[in-house]
């Protein structure tokens, strides 16, 4: 797994795994938007598949990221290359972690409730408006997670 710590491909100080994960995090809100559009076009099966795929893929990517951070020395190692205050970067990181943890819990809740509603033939149907609302809230959380994750990347490796 040495490749993880080779120079990344985005032209910053970041190792490969950080560039890879950041690229995926930056693209995720757009992929979520496409999945939502599928539902809007009545392609519910494709919507369900894409949402489940994106969720599982995101969890795997976060696992890959966490592995790289732990093996790479943790936050302390990565913040050393930044000219910014460690406490400032850590504060932004904490906000990112809070947003992402709440978003993950909400995304899980949305998926579980949707699967139950689908099996009870309430989606599409009686539960549609509640599911739309939860889906939009999840999408906003994913966007904020992406935005704050990219901000942490910039603070650690660009500035």
């Amino acid at each position: 797994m040495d490749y993880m710590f080779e120079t990344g491909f985005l032209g910053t100080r970041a190792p490969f795994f950080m560039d890879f994960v950041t690229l995926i995090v930056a693209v995720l809100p757009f992929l979520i938007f496409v999945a939502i559009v599928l539902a809007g076009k009545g392609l519910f099966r494709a919507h369900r598949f894409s949402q489940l795929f994106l969720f599982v893929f995101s969890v795997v990517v976060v696992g890959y990221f966490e592995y790289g951070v732990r093996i790479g020395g943790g936050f302390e190692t990565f913040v050393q290359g930044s000219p910014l205050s460690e406490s400032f970067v850590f504060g932004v990181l904490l906000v990112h972690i809070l947003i992402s943890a709440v978003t993950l819990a909400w995304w899980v809740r949305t998926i579980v409730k949707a699967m139950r509603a689908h099996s009870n033939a309430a989606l599409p149907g009686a539960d549609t408006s509640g599911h739309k609302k939860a889906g939009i809230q999840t999408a906003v959380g994913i966007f904020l997670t992406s935005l704050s994750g990219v901000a942490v990347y910039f603070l650690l490796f660009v500035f």
Side-chain angles (χ1 to χ4, degrees):
M1 298 279 248
D2 291 338
Y3 77 91
M4 290 179 70
F5 301 100
E6 292 178 7
T7 304
F9 53 86
L10 294 177
T12 67
R13 298 184 303 273
F16 172 83
F17 86 93
M18 285 284 191
D19 283 2
F20 178 74
V21 170
T22 300
L23 181 63
I24 291 170
V25 165
V27 170
L28 184 62
F30 300 102
L31 298 175
I32 292 295
F33 177 75
V34 169
I36 291 169
V37 168
L38 291 172
K41 292 186 178 211
L43 302 169
F44 302 119
R45 189 175 213 181
H47 169 71
R48 186 171 52 250
F49 174 80
S50 60
Q51 284 291 343
L52 289 172
F53 175 82
L54 289 171
F55 175 78
V56 170
F57 182 69
S58 296
V59 169
V60 169
V61 167
V62 168
Y64 174 73
F65 168 78
E66 287 296 328
Y67 174 78
V69 168
R70 303 288 180 253
I71 298 299
F75 173 76
E76 295 79 19
T77 299
F78 295 111
V79 78
Q80 287 175 1
S82 175
L84 300 172
S85 155
E86 182 176 336
S87 60
F88 172 72
V89 177
F90 187 70
V92 175
L93 176 63
L94 284 179
V95 169
H96 167 68
I97 291 169
L98 177 65
I99 291 168
S100 61
V102 169
T103 298
L104 176 64
W106 196 256
W107 199 359
V108 167
R109 179 184 181 273
T110 302
I111 288 171
V112 168
K113 286 185 78 171
M115 291 173 71
R116 285 184 187 147
H118 177 70
S119 68
N120 294 332
L123 263 183
D127 288 350
T128 297
S129 73
H131 178 68
K132 280 183 180 179
K133 183 178 177 183
I136 290 169
Q137 291 168 336
T138 302
V140 168
I142 290 167
F143 173 76
L144 293 173
T145 298
S146 176
L147 188 65
S148 61
V150 170
V152 170
Y153 176 91
F154 269 77
L155 295 175
L156 289 174
F157 304 113
V158 176
F159 296 118

